[in-house]
Amino acid sequence: MLNALSITPTEILHDYRIACESRAASVLARKEVFAGKAKFGIFGDGKEVAQLAMAKYFQAGDWRAGYYRDQTFMFAIGALTLQQYFAQLYAHTSIEADPASGGRMMNSHFATRFIDGAGNWLNQLTRKNVSADLSCTASQMPRLLGLAYASKLYRATDFHNIQKNFSYKGNEVAFGTIGDASTSEGMFFETINAGGVLQVPMCISIWDDGYGISVPQPYHTTKGDISAVLAGFKRTKGKTGYEIFIAKGWDYLALCHTYHQAVTICRTEHVPVLIHVKELTQPQGHSTSGSHERYKSAKRLRWERAYDCLPKMAAWMIESGIANEETLQNIALEADKKVKVAQQAAWHASIHDRNQAKNELLALLNDIVLPQEIADTSEWSTIMDTLTAQPDLRYLDISQAVDKALYTLREIPYVHKKGLLAWWHKNIRNNTNRFSSHLYSHSRSAALYVKGIPPIYTENPPQVDGREILCSCFKSLLGSDGRVFAIGQDLGKIGDVNQGFAGLQALYGPLRVTDTSIRECTMIGQGIGAAMRGLRPIVEIQYLDYLPYALQIIQDDLATLLYRTKGGQKAPMIIRTRGHRLEGIWHAGSYISSIMHAIRGIYLLVPRNMTQAAGFYNTMMRSDDIALIIECLNGYRLKEPMPNNVATMAIPIGVPELLRVGKDVTIVTYGAMCRIVCAAADRLSDLAIECEVIDVQTLLPFDIHHSIVQSLAKTNRIVFADEDVPGGTTAYMMQQVLEEQKGYAMLDEAPITISSKPHRPAYGDDGNYFSKPNVEEVVSKIYSMMHQVDPLCYPAIL
């Protein structure tokens, strides 16, 4: 078998060396946490040999979506050095030190950089690509589906000719890894089912060490065996499905044979494969949060010592004559030394950056000539002692010290402390870059840089259903950009439930406009993975009420991707959905605040009609940011004038639109409420109240030029109206205008909010009317406000 795989003894010894280094890194990293030099540790010990085998068949151009046990694999493919491994453990805020995240992700959360510092794509075919890990169990699975789906698209279409550095005719395999306990998650099963349906080149490895933290396997899995549970997914004659393999985690040769066979099938036939790696151990337990001796029996611990993959591999090499015991002992000793050197280098590099900041501050403080009453105070001595006596200061210690110093020096003339103040401002900028940058794109293609192009109309434009404007927009996007594709429930053959894609599947084919099953979570995952690989997906969630099925993936993976890699990875995609007014509890969702506060890192666009929506689609497709666009459910068959420039118009991000000019009250709203508010403003005008109506258009970002406060400066009264729950998005808009834009100083009256009732809307026209804001309610509340201003001019109604 060894000769059949063409694995030489030299290669085997090299693999063993990597495994020993990885194990030594796990052991030393754990000690560093307990020594207080790192906050937390989670490691890949016990999984080394299986990951060596997987790494052998991972080629340049391939992709990994894994989790925090895969350090040996990362070392083996050359995507991680030992020093980088420890730099992440110490949260070193440097991309050079920790290329995965610049200190933002906890240890063993792996990633490679596939965009450069300017946001440009790097050549993915010359790299071994690792999509950024996240801690949430099984959350890597939806994205894995998308990475593999991109290979299917690149093979079955001419996408590979359009995107030269992303795929070689779909030859790339997406490797996924997951712990056995995490296969209990719904995301795992949803991904397994979708991968079997789509037949994508997805190679899934399940690391089975018998536990999920402290909970043993019988509590997790029917029959106590996930591959037995999934046996029905195995492909048979005439029926597509998976190839399923089982291997033992300590058997190096059998593992190499299994991965060779599995990956060959996956790569050449585009058949998903699953490898259940059993009999793995976890010598140090789950993490540094506790000892596994608390929940493992003495018998189990003895078994784990006997079946630890490293001594088992060593015994096999001795038995096979590949190496003798002395050689292997020397390899282990050399590994310990090498790891210690890397750890020391990472630690000293980490504290060097912090010491540099500390020394700059100390020099400034020592240059200040202190009055006697300050020089003799204990406060000043404490500040200086903190900076000089305490080793290994954190950035927070340094920031706290300068903050205390500034308060202590508050009565000192500016000229004597201007250098310190300048350093304070620089410190804020540096820490913003270290910890808060790259929530959104910083590139030249950022959505905020896309220039607005207003719709252009003929003198008498045709009045069409709003859906026709959308359909024209999507037709233009698909026709002008070969990277664009759209997926969703009922999206393909019937063109979506509201006909926004009507006829487009027939025009562009079933891989460009694609129906999916009911699986919102993995639909988003399809989009994430494909976007990472240079394609431009539009993923439709049929109704806003169904977005929570995918919200975890959206908020934990997609929204944080650019941030958690500090600009190293991106997945520019559009999530399309529809909400607000229609019928009933689950088809009239407007719980915008619940979404908005979960998805920071994604732009939230709330167009009032389909022309605005089409403009937003064009804008986002010209950018490399991510957007959630919520169309108005009751707007598809409302008549709108057809613009001449549907293909080129663009709505700027973060710029409200003035819908009506007024002098008495400013009303701020969005989405379907724009029509309600404008109708109320017409009635209020008959009552001698002139309202200025503003459509914010985008909630994230919100009014980047602070135009709303300019309206408030004119009217001195403001109302925030929407269909969210009381205290929801209206409270957010109020905070933005009154606090962020300093509008509080311009108020003559208390601001008011108009929202839906704190429950979902009841069914039918009456249910909608009494559950959500209506024209009469808007008129009543604004009239009451004006009654307080001038009771004689606006006498009480009730």
Side-chain angles (χ1 to χ4, degrees):
M1 188 186 293
L2 189 62
N3 290 334
L5 294 173
S6 301
I7 302 174
T8 66
T10 300
E11 186 178 348
I12 294 168
L13 286 171
H14 175 73
D15 284 350
Y16 183 71
R17 188 180 302 276
I18 291 173
C20 288
E21 290 170 1
S22 182
R23 177 66 61 88
S26 295
V27 171
L28 183 54
R30 182 180 178 87
K31 292 176 180 177
E32 290 295 277
V33 174
F34 291 145
K37 292 163 70 175
K39 295 287 290 183
F40 177 78
I42 196 161
F43 315 110
D45 47 303
K47 296 13 179 227
E48 292 93 349
V49 172
Q51 291 178 26
L52 291 172
M54 182 172 70
K56 284 189 179 304
Y57 305 102
F58 188 91
Q59 299 179 1
D62 286 345
W63 283 83
R64 169 194 168 273
Y67 81 134
Y68 42 74
R69 301 292 184 196
D70 293 348
Q71 68 195 50
T72 308
F73 172 81
M74 292 295 293
F75 293 139
I77 66 170
L80 180 72
T81 69
L82 287 165
Q83 186 169 335
Q84 289 167 350
Y85 175 80
F86 282 99
Q88 190 178 60
L89 182 75
Y90 300 133
H92 191 167
T93 57
S94 160
I95 286 299
E96 291 70 30
D98 171 24
S101 70
R104 292 182 179 180
M105 293 194 287
M106 68 174 64
N107 85 298
S108 295
H109 286 62
F110 307 114
T112 56
R113 306 187 77 75
F114 53 77
I115 56 177
D116 64 21
N120 302 309
W121 294 106
L122 300 171
N123 188 336
Q124 296 180 359
L125 292 177
T126 60
R127 286 171 166 77
K128 294 183 177 180
N129 305 290
V130 176
S131 61
D133 290 349
L134 57 165
S135 296
C136 313
T137 54
S139 293
Q140 68 271 33
M141 299 303 293
R143 184 202 329 141
L144 172 67
L145 178 72
L147 293 169
Y149 184 67
S151 286
K152 176 174 181 168
L153 294 179
Y154 278 124
R155 179 169 288 188
T157 68
D158 63 351
F159 284 172
H160 64 275
N161 291 323
I162 299 166
Q163 295 288 74
K164 295 290 186 181
N165 296 324
F166 292 85
S167 178
Y168 179 71
K169 299 181 180 179
N171 193 47
E172 302 77 30
V173 171
F175 288 72
T177 63
I178 187 169
D180 179 66
S182 296
T183 63
S184 301
E185 293 276 14
M187 288 177 285
F188 173 80
F189 282 100
E190 191 173 310
T191 300
I192 290 291
N193 184 61
V197 169
L198 293 171
Q199 288 293 284
V200 292
M202 190 167 67
C203 177
I204 300 171
S205 298
I206 300 172
W207 308 141
D208 186 352
D209 58 25
Y211 289 84
I213 306 183
S214 68
V215 181
Q217 197 174 55
Y219 287 88
H220 291 289
T221 309
T222 303
K223 302 180 180 181
D225 189 326
I226 189 61
S227 53
V229 171
L230 298 176
F233 283 87
K234 188 173 176 63
R235 66 173 176 170
T236 57
K237 187 175 182 179
K239 296 287 186 179
T240 59
Y242 280 73
E243 282 296 337
I244 299 177
F245 300 85
I246 299 171
K248 295 178 180 179
W250 46 265
D251 191 335
Y252 174 87
L253 192 56
L255 283 162
C256 290
H257 178 74
T258 297
Y259 274 97
H260 177 264
Q261 185 181 0
V263 175
T264 299
I265 292 170
C266 190
R267 194 181 305 279
T268 57
E269 300 180 44
H270 269 206
V271 170
V273 300
L274 184 143
I275 304 167
H276 184 186
V277 183
K278 297 182 175 182
E279 298 189 17
L280 288 167
T281 66
Q282 203 155 269
Q284 298 189 122
H286 175 264
S287 68
T288 55
S289 61
S291 170
H292 62 153
E293 282 85 357
R294 292 178 301 162
Y295 54 84
K296 289 179 181 176
S297 68
K299 181 180 178 181
R300 173 68 191 192
L301 291 170
R302 285 195 300 272
W303 181 90
E304 290 200 3
R305 286 191 292 271
Y307 283 84
D308 186 324
C309 63
L310 258 64
K312 291 286 280 185
M313 182 178 178
W316 169 75
M317 286 189 288
I318 293 169
E319 183 182 336
S320 302
I322 294 170
N324 57 37
E325 188 172 351
E326 183 182 2
T327 298
L328 300 182
Q329 287 177 348
N330 287 335
I331 287 174
L333 289 171
E334 290 167 5
D336 287 341
K337 293 177 182 177
K338 183 176 179 180
V339 167
K340 185 65 177 176
V341 169
Q343 174 266 320
Q344 288 289 312
W347 174 248
H348 289 305
S350 175
I351 63 175
H352 174 270
D353 287 359
R354 301 197 298 271
N355 283 338
Q356 187 172 10
K358 178 189 75 172
N359 292 335
E360 286 179 2
L361 176 58
L362 270 173
L364 288 166
L365 293 176
N366 285 322
D367 283 346
I368 296 174
V369 179
L370 297 174
Q372 194 64 38
E373 61 270 21
I374 292 177
D376 292 340
T377 62
S378 60
E379 289 88 352
W380 190 256
S381 297
T382 300
I383 293 168
M384 299 304 288
D385 288 346
T386 297
L387 292 172
T388 56
Q390 294 185 28
D392 310 332
L393 290 182
R394 300 161 296 180
Y395 287 116
L396 71 88
D397 299 314
I398 298 165
S399 292
Q400 288 172 350
V402 70
D403 185 73
K404 291 176 182 176
L406 288 170
Y407 279 99
T408 305
L409 299 171
R410 60 189 179 276
E411 296 181 6
I412 299 295
Y414 168 78
V415 68
H416 298 307
K417 58 185 178 184
K418 63 180 181 179
L420 181 62
L421 288 167
W423 189 91
W424 181 77
H425 286 292
K426 184 181 79 168
N427 185 52
I428 290 176
R429 291 193 301 272
N430 288 342
N431 285 325
T432 297
N433 178 61
R434 289 179 184 118
F435 305 109
S436 300
S437 66
H438 293 91
L439 185 59
Y440 299 97
S441 173
H442 288 202
S443 80
R444 296 171 68 181
S445 299
L448 292 177
Y449 298 152
V450 177
K451 293 183 179 179
I453 301 174
I456 299 172
Y457 299 97
T458 60
E459 187 174 345
N460 294 299
Q463 299 292 313
V464 300
D465 289 348
R467 64 180 179 81
E468 295 181 55
I469 297 172
L470 274 180
C471 193
S472 178
C473 171
F474 293 137
K475 180 180 178 181
S476 171
L477 289 172
L478 288 161
S480 62
D481 189 340
R483 303 170 300 165
V484 175
F485 70 92
I487 64 171
Q489 298 154 18
D490 301 302
L491 186 76
K493 190 167 186 179
I494 69 170
D496 90 39
V497 292
N498 295 104
Q499 299 289 283
F501 278 87
L504 298 186
Q505 186 182 77
L507 194 58
Y508 293 105
L511 288 178
R512 299 286 304 282
V513 182
T514 304
D515 283 313
T516 70
S517 56
I518 302 174
R519 48 176 184 82
E520 288 80 6
C521 171
T522 49
M523 287 159 55
I524 296 297
Q526 264 180 270
I528 296 171
M532 283 181 163
R533 297 191 58 189
L535 301 177
R536 295 306 305 265
I538 300 171
V539 178
E540 178 181 304
I541 304 296
Q542 197 164 84
Y543 294 104
L544 184 62
D545 302 86
Y546 304 156
L547 193 74
Y549 285 101
L551 191 56
Q552 186 272 326
I553 290 298
I554 294 171
Q555 70 177 6
D556 288 333
D557 191 357
L558 183 60
T560 68
L561 178 65
L562 190 71
Y563 169 79
R564 74 179 189 267
T565 60
K566 201 176 181 183
Q569 297 189 1
K570 63 181 178 180
M573 61 179 285
I574 295 174
I575 304 168
R576 178 197 184 208
T577 189
R578 50 190 68 87
H580 312 310
R581 293 170 184 257
L582 190 64
E583 294 294 344
I585 292 173
W586 293 291
H587 290 77
S590 291
Y591 52 100
I592 305 299
S593 58
S594 300
I595 298 165
M596 176 175 58
H597 297 304
I599 65 165
R600 301 302 173 97
I602 297 174
Y603 287 134
L604 178 57
L605 315 184
V606 283
R608 68 181 180 273
N609 59 33
M610 301 310 156
T611 301
Q612 303 300 106
F616 281 138
Y617 285 113
N618 288 340
T619 296
M620 294 311 303
M621 278 298 179
R622 294 168 196 168
S623 82
D624 62 353
D625 275 302
I626 311 160
L628 169 61
I629 300 177
I630 304 173
E631 300 162 10
C632 293
L633 254 171
N634 60 358
Y636 295 104
R637 284 171 174 77
L638 294 178
K639 298 297 183 182
E640 298 181 36
M642 173 66 83
N644 281 354
N645 61 335
V646 170
T648 58
M649 66 182 186
I651 307 299
I653 302 297
V655 181
E657 183 174 350
L658 181 64
L659 302 184
R660 182 188 179 105
V661 176
K663 61 181 177 55
D664 297 315
V665 181
T666 298
I667 309 177
V668 181
T669 190
Y670 62 88
M673 276 296 291
C674 289
R675 289 193 303 110
I676 302 295
V677 168
C678 285
D682 288 341
R683 287 187 54 183
L684 287 162
S685 181
D686 295 338
L687 298 169
I689 300 171
E690 297 299 332
C691 298
E692 187 139 297
V693 180
I694 297 174
D695 174 10
V696 302
Q697 300 200 99
T698 73
L699 290 166
L700 295 174
F702 184 90
D703 189 13
I704 60 175
H705 301 307
H706 291 189
S707 61
I708 295 173
V709 78
Q710 297 171 26
S711 173
L712 179 57
K714 177 172 63 173
T715 65
N716 305 118
R717 303 174 191 92
I718 195 162
V719 175
F720 300 94
D722 77 347
E723 299 181 49
D724 202 350
V725 296
T729 307
T730 51
Y732 163 76
M733 294 191 293
M734 184 186 297
Q735 179 268 335
Q736 289 287 299
V737 175
L738 300 189
E739 180 184 337
E740 182 70 20
Q741 300 184 12
K742 305 295 187 290
Y744 63 89
M746 302 167 188
L747 291 172
D748 286 346
E749 303 293 328
I752 64 173
T753 63
I754 301 173
S755 304
S756 293
K757 299 296 187 291
H759 54 73
R760 296 291 184 95
Y763 180 60
D765 290 342
D766 283 342
N768 182 63
Y769 182 86
F770 290 103
S771 300
K772 291 201 169 191
N774 53 61
V775 171
E776 288 73 24
E777 181 183 3
V778 175
V779 170
S780 174
K781 289 196 172 183
I782 293 177
Y783 186 89
S784 295
M785 172 187 271
M786 296 305 295
H787 168 70
Q788 298 296 322
V789 174
D790 190 343
L792 292 177
C793 186
Y794 307 104
I797 303 298
L798 299 175

